[in-house]
Amino acid sequence: MLTSQRKQLILATLQRDGQLVAKTFSQQLEVSEDTIRRDLRELAAEGLLQRVHGGALPASPAVADFAGRSQIAGDGKARIGRAAAGLIEDGQVVLLDGGTTAVQLASQLPPALRATIVTHSPSVAVALALHPTVEVIMIGGRLFKHSVVTMGTAALESLGQIRADVFFMGVTGVHAEAGLSTGDLEEAYMKRALMARAAETVVLASAEKIAAASPYLIAGLDAVSGIITEQSVPDPQLAPLRQAGVALTLV
């Protein structure tokens, strides 16, 4: 089998099964495990999969910058944002992550809602600037331009003064075994810090993020109250999440 054919089979297997074990796959193809590992390294370098110990997982396409992610799953993100906005109640203090889905949530809050939104996303703050009854608190710090959010020591210190009812978190990967992940290490630390300041965390994840993984772990699935995603996600991708006990809301 040619290298190109083997790589296509690797990607097809990941799409079908949601994971690949290098040793098992090498035995199936009757090639050395080193050959499969080399294929995985090359595919990972192209951003086509995420290597893990012993094999690989599907890579998330959502690691693009903010402008690039704005072009992905626009309708789905709008539905997710609308569903999440409907969960916010008067009087609540809400932590709202950065990202394109979070902006959709902010833009769809009911005009009569009286709540406090705390965010490290300038884009979210701007989306809420004209809301008549929502108080907006910005978390300052160094601007991480890739995701258009503030991070760093100043941002982490300011979080210490906040006790929120709920945190709506964006991720780039949701996987039953690999957990919740993102494409930047410091961003993963920031998301964990935000989770620690809220009574519960709800994940906002468009379809391309389900059954995918990124390099940096945020938390396991048991750390969140639920995940809001799209109805279009194939059931074989949702089944492992349900088996893991995750509360799914499909929109």
Side-chain angles (χ1 to χ4, degrees), residues 168-194:
F168 290 99
M169 180 172 70
V171 300
T172 59
V174 177
H175 194 279
E177 295 182 15
L180 307 164
S181 54
T182 191
D184 180 83
L185 178 60
E186 190 174 357
E187 197 167 20
Y189 280 118
M190 185 67 184
K191 290 177 187 292
R192 281 198 293 274
L194 287 160

Side-chain angles (χ1 to χ4, degrees), residues 60-232:
S60 172
V63 293
D65 61 15
F66 187 91
R69 283 180 283 131
S70 298
Q71 309 302 316
I72 300 175
D75 291 342
K77 290 177 180 179
R79 292 194 302 273
I80 292 169
R82 189 178 307 115
L87 299 177
I88 300 174
E89 300 177 1
D90 283 341
Q92 285 190 324
V93 176
V94 176
L95 283 168
L96 188 49
D97 206 354
T100 53
T101 309
V103 172
Q104 287 287 347
L105 189 163
S107 66
Q108 297 189 72
L109 291 176
L113 178 70
R114 294 182 178 276
T116 299
I117 304 293
V118 183
T119 185
H120 64 143
S121 165
S123 302
V124 168
V126 169
L128 291 170
L130 297 180
H131 194 289
T133 54
V134 166
E135 182 178 2
V136 182
I137 298 175
M138 273 290 299
I139 298 171
R142 178 182 63 84
L143 184 66
F144 178 44
K145 295 181 181 180
H146 179 275
S147 298
V148 195
V149 292
T150 59
M151 296 196 301
T153 303
L156 292 172
E157 286 185 355
S158 64
L159 280 176
Q161 311 305 314
I162 296 166
R163 292 186 179 89
D165 295 289
V166 60
F167 170 39
F168 290 99
M169 180 172 70
V171 300
T172 59
V174 177
H175 194 279
E177 295 182 15
L180 307 164
S181 54
T182 191
D184 180 83
L185 178 60
E186 190 174 357
E187 197 167 20
Y189 280 118
M190 185 67 184
K191 290 177 187 292
R192 281 198 293 274
L194 287 160
M195 292 177 70
R197 304 312 303 172
E200 62 176 324
T201 296
V202 176
V203 173
L204 311 178
S206 47
E208 75 280 359
K209 301 170 185 176
I210 303 298
S214 293
Y216 301 103
L217 175 68
I218 302 167
L221 296 177
D222 58 351
V224 301
S225 300
I227 297 172
I228 304 176
T229 188
E230 299 177 67
Q231 291 180 344
S232 61

Side-chain angles (χ1 to χ4, degrees), residues 232-248:
S232 61
V233 178
D235 192 65
Q237 294 182 5
L238 295 175
L241 300 178
R242 292 194 175 103
Q243 291 169 5
V246 178
L248 297 174

